[in-house]
Amino acid sequence: MNKIVIVGGVAGGASAAARIRRLDETAEIIMLERSGYVSYANCGLPYYVGGEITEEKKLTLQTPESFRARFNVDVRVRNEAVAIDTEKKEVTIKNLATGETYTECYDKLILSPGARPTRPPLPGMDDPDIYTLRTVEDTFTLRSFVTGRTPEHVVVVGGGYIGLEMAENLRRMGIAVTMLEMADHVIASFDYDMACEVHAYLRTKGIALRRSTAAEGFSREDGRLTVHLKGGEKLACDAVIMAVGVTPETTLAKEAGLELGVRGAIVVDDHMRTSAPDVYAVGDAVQVRHLVSGKPALLPLAGPANKQGRIAADNICGLDSVFDGSQGSSIVKIFDMTAAGTGLSEAAAKQAGIPCDKVFLYSPSHATYYPGATNMSIKVLFNTEDGKILGAQIVGFDGVDKRCDVLAAAIRAGMTAEDLAELELCYAPPFSSAKDPVNMAGFMIQNIRDGLVKQNHWHDMVNRPEDVVVLDVRTDGEFARGHIEGALHIPVDSLRGRIDELPKGKTLYVHCQSGLRSYVACRMLSQHGFDCYNLAGGYRFYDIVTRDREADLTPVHPCGVPV
């Protein structure tokens, strides 16, 4: 009979325990969890703080009692593994309720310690009104604060998923929110240009967004918590939520002599085995292989953690399961907006040395003649050598998850642009278009790879050579509402009759609102001998990005004025 000790519950550990029991009814399974909750909806915690989820029990997926009843697992909450002896195959455990220390031997050990919120060593970080969000206990503490003390202004440090979700939930409660992001854009896995869509939307929702702004410390001044910003500015507030990312919880593994990799994460093979015999590791604390780049990566996500728990369990029970890698598929709700991504960003692809280009679409969520259609901004990255899809980022209000999931599946299957064009996807007017946005991305990449059109991008337009002619083929009304300075304006439907107005021998940068009509114009002009480039994403995308670059990102907040 195998004795299996699992350190940590939640996604990876709990999945492993349940899978082992389904495969081996005779195994002795002990699961240790230092918090008071063994399996809980970690991703739902911000929504409990904001009151969207109202019942405490909805956060807990399993209790120690339910786990024992269904899976016959000895779950010990408030019990922390404090040492591992891999030679003796023994775990030292501290009962946090009694202070007692004891040991358990194991035949197989699974480490699922997760990751802890990063708390940078800044002055004043020990202030009780600086919060992080990881456990159910953290959630109850923060919920008690926002409901009991009715804060007026909270500073959220970090523009990742947790930071954005907390900002939304606090703002919905009527609390003024200032968001500080050290980088030039929110959502680190996104590229700057696609994040600009999110920046603009956050501002419409009253979030005071401060990009390229770092907190350097905290203090108490005139009875209020004060955030000290780089450069000397100060912000007074009632509380700070630190959401600057997570750090693998690998102290135990390090002290046990296990091999560590990226950012101190536990190195595992494709069977989830560590460098120590009979010791496995899963979840947010492990280093994985990025499915697209092949590089070591740290991708703390619930989906891969669950799969890894299952794979570790399979191998312990004699099944040859492997974890091929993770592509970082993720999604976030920001008020009514959805932002999703999968695979590599453009920045990550270039860092990995992969030859790449991208297309931008602004596509409706379903047939425009059916009521309720909204547009999505889509960026799809592809390998210029073989046409394989490398990554995608989508921002919109409806249908974002569906398209990102299709593209995630396409990336895992190694599909090319030609494959996207051929995909047969479900269509009816309330759900999609006959040419789904995923198909359209494939068509666009095909056109580029086949040499039917050349494209340029917003950054090419910003830094264009002086002798380039900018041609705007939108309608008179669109042009009047805003245009690129110095652009020549000829609507596409008048272009054939006015081609003689275009200067011969000049390179043309052609654009419309989204890139579709300008593609038609480029096909027309190229067959008349003109050297033309279509502006990817059109004037709309160019305008969003250039406005963001010039935006005043230091709004004075009624509750966040410098003190």
Side-chain angles (χ1 to χ4, degrees):
M1 180 178 72
N2 259 344
K3 181 178 179 180
I4 298 123
V5 175
I6 302 173
V7 177
V10 197
S15 293
R19 178 67 170 172
I20 291 169
R21 177 57 71 222
R22 290 194 294 270
L23 296 175
D24 184 353
E25 185 62 23
T26 67
E28 179 184 357
I29 308 171
I30 299 171
M31 184 157 55
L32 308 171
E33 171 57 50
R34 67 182 176 187
S35 77
Y37 299 85
V38 63
S39 181
Y40 55 88
N42 191 283
C43 297
L45 301 184
Y47 300 100
Y48 181 82
V49 174
E52 291 291 304
I53 298 172
T54 57
E55 296 181 52
E56 291 183 12
K57 64 181 181 181
K58 295 289 187 183
L59 295 176
T60 54
L61 306 178
Q62 293 280 357
T63 65
E65 295 75 22
S66 67
F67 226 96
R68 177 177 284 281
R70 179 164 297 179
F71 298 110
N72 191 26
V73 173
D74 180 2
V75 177
R76 304 175 188 175
V77 295
R78 302 286 294 157
N79 277 251
E80 180 180 9
V82 295
I84 301 169
D85 188 324
T86 58
E87 290 187 2
K88 292 183 179 179
K89 300 181 77 169
E90 192 174 81
V91 181
T92 302
I93 305 159
K94 183 176 182 179
N95 185 318
L96 299 179
T98 66
E100 170 199 4
T101 298
Y102 63 100
T103 61
E104 286 284 357
C105 62
Y106 63 83
D107 295 307
K108 305 289 183 182
L109 175 65
I110 300 177
L111 301 179
S112 180
R116 65 182 182 276
T118 302
R119 291 181 67 93
L122 301 175
M125 274 292 293
D126 58 348
D127 191 287
D129 285 331
I130 299 177
Y131 299 90
T132 57
L133 191 63
R134 179 192 184 190
T135 66
V136 175
E137 290 90 344
D138 294 337
T139 307
F140 293 159
T141 299
L142 195 48
R143 176 64 181 171
S144 177
F145 167 77
V146 297
T147 56
R149 288 173 51 185
T150 58
E152 293 181 336
H153 177 222
V154 172
V155 173
V156 176
V157 182
Y161 285 177
I162 292 294
L164 290 169
E165 289 167 348
M166 283 307 309
E168 173 194 343
N169 280 279
L170 294 171
R171 196 75 193 96
R172 285 188 182 279
M173 298 177 74
I175 299 170
V177 176
T178 297
M179 175 173 282
L180 307 180
E181 171 53 57
M182 186 183 298
D184 65 356
H185 68 281
V186 301
I187 312 181
S189 59
F190 267 43
D191 290 311
Y192 165 76
D193 46 21
M194 288 298 288
C196 289
E197 299 262 3
V198 180
H199 300 164
Y201 184 69
L202 287 172
R203 296 181 193 117
T204 69
K205 293 298 183 179
I207 304 294
L209 177 61
R210 304 286 298 271
R211 298 177 310 151
S212 303
T213 302
E216 291 199 325
F218 309 92
S219 65
R220 287 280 169 177
E221 297 185 14
D222 298 325
R224 298 195 74 192
L225 180 58
T226 301
V227 185
H228 297 257
L229 306 182
K230 187 175 182 179
E233 186 183 353
K234 301 178 184 179
L235 287 175
C237 62
D238 300 300
V240 169
I241 296 176
M242 293 298 298
V244 295
V246 295
T247 302
E249 189 70 85
T250 56
T251 302
L252 189 64
K254 181 179 181 180
E255 292 174 349
L258 272 60
E259 182 184 354
L260 305 181
V262 175
R263 291 177 55 196
I266 302 169
V267 173
V268 294
D269 64 12
D270 59 3
H271 292 80
M272 308 313 299
R273 294 178 297 215
T274 71
S275 58
D278 297 315
V279 179
Y280 296 73
V282 302
D284 294 354
V286 305
Q287 173 182 293
V288 300
R289 181 182 70 87
H290 196 288
L291 185 73
V292 183
S293 71
K295 306 289 186 183
L298 185 64
L299 297 169
L301 297 164
N306 276 283
K307 295 179 183 71
Q308 291 161 11
R310 179 185 177 92
I311 288 166
D314 283 356
N315 284 283
I316 286 172
C317 295
L319 299 179
D320 187 23
S321 293
V322 297
F323 185 72
D324 291 331
S326 178
Q327 63 197 73
S329 300
S330 57
I331 191 166
V332 63
K333 171 186 175 293
I334 310 165
F335 296 93
D336 297 322
M337 175 179 272
T338 305
T342 186
L344 293 176
S345 66
E346 181 182 0
K350 289 179 177 178
Q351 187 176 15
I354 300 173
C356 64
D357 200 358
K358 67 267 188 180
V359 293
F360 293 95
L361 303 77
Y362 190 55
S363 298
S365 55
H366 61 249
T368 53
Y369 60 81
Y370 187 88
T374 58
N375 280 341
M376 297 173 283
S377 291
I378 305 175
K379 178 178 184 177
V380 179
L381 196 73
F382 64 96
N383 189 312
T384 53
E385 293 182 348
D386 57 18
K388 281 189 177 181
I389 307 304
L390 301 174
Q393 296 158 44
I394 310 179
V395 179
F397 297 91
D398 185 35
V400 170
D401 54 342
K402 170 182 174 178
R403 275 52 182 230
C404 199
D405 282 343
V406 172
L407 288 163
I411 290 170
R412 182 157 288 271
M415 288 186 177
T416 64
E418 288 73 17
D419 295 320
L420 293 190
E422 293 297 326
L423 283 178
E424 185 175 334
L425 303 172
C426 296
Y427 163 63
F431 304 105
S432 185
S433 302
K435 294 179 181 178
D436 189 86
V438 173
N439 299 132
M440 290 300 298
F443 298 151
M444 292 172 68
I445 297 170
Q446 277 184 316
N447 286 338
I448 294 166
R449 286 174 51 77
D450 290 344
L452 293 178
V453 66
K454 295 187 289 187
Q455 64 173 356
N456 62 351
H457 299 282
W458 63 267
H459 43 82
D460 301 315
M461 186 68 81
V462 170
N463 302 305
R464 64 186 181 273
E466 290 184 4
D467 60 343
V468 161
V469 174
V470 177
L471 175 62
D472 189 327
V473 298
R474 297 177 299 158
T475 65
D476 292 341
E478 288 173 308
F479 187 82
R481 286 191 290 272
H483 57 268
I484 297 172
E485 186 176 353
L488 176 63
H489 176 228
I490 304 176
V492 65
D493 291 339
S494 305
L495 191 55
R496 282 189 181 87
R498 298 175 60 181
I499 282 182
D500 290 344
E501 297 178 28
L502 298 174
K504 299 289 186 181
K506 294 283 189 178
T507 297
L508 304 179
Y509 280 7
V510 188
H511 68 276
C512 64
Q513 190 68 8
S514 66
L516 179 57
R517 286 170 289 170
S518 50
Y519 161 66
V520 173
C522 279
R523 287 300 305 142
M524 184 192 311
L525 293 169
S526 64
Q527 293 176 74
H528 283 271
F530 287 92
D531 179 31
C532 54
Y533 291 79
N534 185 25
L535 177 59
Y539 176 79
R540 174 194 168 275
F541 193 68
Y542 166 87
D543 188 52
I544 285 173
V545 178
T546 54
R547 282 180 182 272
D548 186 84
R549 285 158 57 89
E550 300 167 359
D552 176 10
L553 298 175
T554 56
V556 176
H557 202 289
C559 297
V561 293
V563 295

